[in-house]
Amino acid sequence: MKFGKEFAAQMVQEWQEAYMDYSKIKSILKDILRFRQQTKAPSPMAATTKGSLKRRVSLYRAFSGLTSRYRSGSPRKNNEDEVILISAVQEGGSEGDYQTMFLMSGEEGGEYELVFFRRLDDEFNKVVKFYKKKVEEVTVEADELSKQMNALIALRIKVDNPVVGGTDMVNLAANGFSSNSSPVVHPTNGGMQGWTRMDVIQEVEMSSEGLLEEVKEGNDRLSGGEANNLQGFRPAPLDVLDHVKVNVEPETPISTLKGILKSSRSDLSFSRQELSKAEEKITQAFVEFYRKLRLLKSYCFLNQLAFSKIMKKYDKITSRNASKAYLQMVDKSYLGRSDEVTKLMERVEATYVKHFANGNHRKGMKTLRPQAKKERHRITFLYGFFSGCSIALIVAIIVNIHARDLLKSQGREQYMVNIFPLYSLFGFIVLHMLMYSGNIFFWKRYRVNFSFIFGFKQGTELGYREVLLLISGLSLLTLAGVISHLDMEIDPSTKSFRTLTELIPLYLLIVVLSITFCPFNIIYRSSRFFLIRCAFHCVCAPLYKVTLPDFFLADQLTSQVQAFRSLEFYICYYVWGNFRERSNKCEDSEVYKVFYIVVAIIPYWLRFVQCLRRLFEEKDVAHGLNGLKYFSTIAAVAIRTIYQLQKQKTTTWLVLAAATSGIATIVNTYWDIVVDWGLLRRNSRNPWLRDKLILPHKGVYFVAMVLNCILRLVWMQQVLNIQTVPFLHKKALIAVVACLEIIRRGIWNFFRLENEHLNNVGKYRAFKSVPLPFSYDYNGDRSI
């Protein structure tokens, strides 16, 4: 793989604008090469006869010794070979921008090389400034983590109350430590007369420079009859807890209601549960902080490597020797000489292993550095095998239908009304998952960091192959049920099993739900639980803080209205219907009609209350407008469904349905394209799109906008009372319309996350913020 592609693949995508623009610099080098090829300019180091002679004569030069290059003293410089001079412009006593003076600008084509070094200096100064800024940020964050650790250790002493030399650790921390101490006894063994040795670790967390510093253990172990000398031990001061407030209560509907009715409890209760929750939060903070340090170190290394590669290319093209001087400047700059990140990583590792991994280095590093997910060939094989079986079943179903002429049979109407809606539920799920797998494929191809945006734990996110495996497995089960249903219905020898035949869709639904809620670590448990948690947050929308995965899932549910109605039909058909005879009176029931409207409104209602919650928290008017958009959709869906269920259509309801649906369609389409996708910017660099685009072909965006507008108009099928078409049954037409909405949602998903990713890139937002458990209630710069 060429370095340019490897460089682009390994960079932190949210920081891509802060990296060296390797492709741009390389294009300037290509201009230099093109000019030299056209003019055939001689190179000073070209392999001529003279150069050949010079090399040949050098074979007879006196040998200077193997170690002469390492002798002390300044090496002699050949001023004739000097190409560039580099200087740093001082700004207020600190290191400023670097400037390169090209000494050969008078030569033919020198203006191209002058442009090269100017652009190279711009890129280098940009990289150095960004790196320095990020190092300052992580240093400040390290200071904050040190304060959190001080509070945590003090809380541990207060809660655990260990005993040192027969004296409570609480007293030691509050009143000082006696040098003549007895051996260590844990309070749980206080009634026993045995002695317990304890390794006492002196805690010095992060110096004033913001670094996590672990000091050597001051351990004087028992030897012979001598008492254990713990003179070097200094327990953490407990007065830290006097200035700390804690916020470790998990966000639940009950805690949210308490926060609304009264101020939340923020005083420490010194309970073990409180300590456990505080440790959990600080653990997450350390893991995220360490990930930030790793990416920052990778940023430094990749940019240094990029400058090295580009300078070597320059030397090769121009046959000059400028890379040595420039790379020496890179090494001496803040980018090359700074070691703050490396030191922080070492000290974070030591602190995490000691405090959160019980001294187990392997366990601690496994958490700090999770292994990248490996691609498994068996997944590709299985989804290929299941897909092949599914295709075979589809062919078998088509052959069965035509061979037995089922489309013209008397039971066709009965089958379409009673059985088809049951299996169509799984068809909607499979199609939606298929669109999602396509989204994942293109997100990865165009380097959209979807796993960070959704907040997936590293190494647990599903790739498109895993999703295709689930799709093919579900489609195989569904199609097997369909063909079994057909065969059992047609074969006279199995008429006695009619009840079992009709229960196949119900069994299939139970299997799917059982796998989804299975507590065992099988079939991607972490992803299933993530989905369940987001779904629960959607149901309890106003009582939970709304995050992107929550409202993204709620948006998906708005495109699965027909799936919710299929679930309603399951209940009606198997509870109140006569499924043994394939008959039901669901559509004649007023209760069913009411719930037919309610289940269609529920997904939009969830998004509406999510918008209200975000408006309440963030005080952003845009969330209020978004809530109005969903409220208009609720009105449109309700009125349109009422009109659809009327036996005698009235003009009044027709006008109301058309008006509300038209308003909702216009508002939703505008919001999709302008707000969610960020397109239709008149004055952008890409007319009527946006300044930054991920896809290389601009026409794709215009096609997507047109398709979104067209597919938004599927509601006209209900308003115009189009119940059937010559080749489709009424139920099949409803399913087709629902599938078109799912396809529109799949297209929306890609561009929605693309816009979110570009917003993260614009703000250099590559990490999620982790709430810390402790907050200090005093002002000032007191060192903790």
Side-chain angles (χ1 to χ4, degrees), residues 766-780:
F767 312 100
K768 59 183 179 180
S769 59
V770 179
L772 298 174
F774 304 108
S775 59
Y776 288 81
D777 60 353
Y778 58 79
N779 298 322

Side-chain angles (χ1 to χ4, degrees), residues 659-671:
T660 54
S661 297
I663 294 172
T665 300
I666 293 172
V667 173
N668 280 276
T669 304
Y670 174 83
W671 197 274

Side-chain angles (χ1 to χ4, degrees), residues 425-445:
L425 168 66
F426 305 103
F428 300 146
I429 297 174
V430 167
L431 179 60
H432 209 136
M433 293 176 68
L434 185 63
M435 296 300 296
Y436 180 65
S437 66
N439 290 147
I440 294 176
F441 175 80
F442 286 106
W443 285 333
K444 284 191 173 182
R445 180 175 179 180

Side-chain angles (χ1 to χ4, degrees), residues 69 77 82 107 205 218 339 388 459 643 704 708:
R69 63 183 299 181
K77 293 185 179 179
E82 198 170 17
E107 294 184 359
E205 305 291 343
D339 60 350
Y643 174 74
N708 187 76

Side-chain angles (χ1 to χ4, degrees), residues 30-300:
K30 289 181 180 179
D31 293 338
I32 297 174
L33 178 62
R34 193 179 301 112
F35 175 81
R36 285 179 168 265
Q37 290 175 344
Q38 291 173 354
T39 59
K40 296 182 180 180
S43 57
M45 300 295 289
T48 61
T49 305
K50 182 178 178 181
S52 160
L53 178 62
K54 186 178 180 180
R55 284 196 299 274
R56 198 161 48 243
V57 171
S58 68
L59 294 175
Y60 306 100
R61 187 176 295 164
F63 186 58
S64 58
L66 294 175
T67 60
S68 60
R69 63 183 299 181
Y70 303 106
R71 291 173 185 167
S72 59
S74 59
R76 292 182 298 174
K77 293 185 179 179
N78 187 359
N79 294 329
E80 294 180 358
D81 294 338
E82 198 170 17
V83 180
I84 56 175
L85 288 176
I86 307 169
S87 59
V89 180
Q90 298 294 327
E91 294 181 357
S94 61
E95 183 180 11
D97 292 345
Y98 288 88
Q99 292 182 357
T100 303
M101 180 184 295
F102 180 57
L103 303 179
M104 304 295 182
S105 57
E107 294 184 359
E108 187 177 8
E111 61 274 9
Y112 289 99
E113 297 178 57
L114 189 62
V115 171
F116 168 79
F117 281 107
R118 285 179 180 174
R119 186 58 189 263
L120 193 65
D121 287 341
D122 292 340
E123 293 299 318
F124 182 72
N125 292 323
K126 176 187 73 175
V127 169
V128 171
K129 288 180 180 178
F130 181 82
Y131 182 69
K132 187 182 295 185
K133 177 184 175 183
K134 288 299 176 182
V135 170
E136 291 173 355
E137 289 179 2
V138 296
T139 302
V140 172
E141 190 170 345
D143 286 334
E144 181 60 33
L145 280 177
S146 71
K147 296 179 181 179
Q148 297 290 319
M149 282 301 301
N150 283 332
L152 178 66
I153 294 171
L155 183 60
R156 279 177 176 172
I157 295 174
K158 192 74 173 178
V159 173
D160 294 339
N161 192 18
V163 177
V164 177
T167 307
D168 287 349
M169 180 73 79
V170 175
N171 296 329
L172 290 175
N175 303 321
F177 182 75
S178 174
S179 60
N180 300 322
S181 302
S182 302
V184 179
V185 182
H186 195 274
T188 56
N189 301 326
M192 302 175 61
Q193 297 300 321
W195 297 98
T196 304
R197 289 193 302 173
M198 171 182 173
D199 291 338
V200 183
I201 302 173
Q202 182 179 3
E203 295 290 344
V204 180
E205 305 291 343
M206 290 188 186
S207 66
S208 58
E209 297 159 352
L211 305 177
L212 277 168
E213 185 169 352
E214 298 294 339
V215 182
K216 289 183 178 181
E217 300 180 1
N219 298 334
D220 293 322
R221 299 180 179 275
L222 289 172
S223 60
E226 295 180 0
N228 190 18
N229 184 12
L230 301 176
Q231 186 172 359
F233 176 71
R234 179 177 63 87
L238 293 186
D239 59 350
V240 171
L241 299 178
D242 298 334
H243 308 284
V244 164
K245 291 186 177 180
V246 66
N247 182 24
V248 295
E249 286 192 1
E251 187 182 24
T252 61
I254 296 176
S255 66
T256 303
L257 291 175
K258 285 182 178 178
I260 296 175
L261 298 177
K262 60 180 181 179
S263 60
S264 60
R265 177 179 60 85
S266 60
D267 295 330
L268 286 166
S269 61
F270 307 116
S271 65
R272 189 164 296 278
Q273 182 182 8
E274 195 172 59
L275 174 62
S276 176
K277 292 176 180 178
E279 287 180 339
E280 181 182 354
K281 283 195 173 186
I282 294 184
T283 299
Q284 295 174 357
F286 265 91
V287 171
E288 190 66 19
F289 182 62
Y290 188 77
R291 176 175 171 268
K292 184 181 296 186
L293 294 176
R294 289 182 65 193
L295 293 183
L296 197 54
K297 186 176 181 180
S298 171
Y299 171 85
C300 177

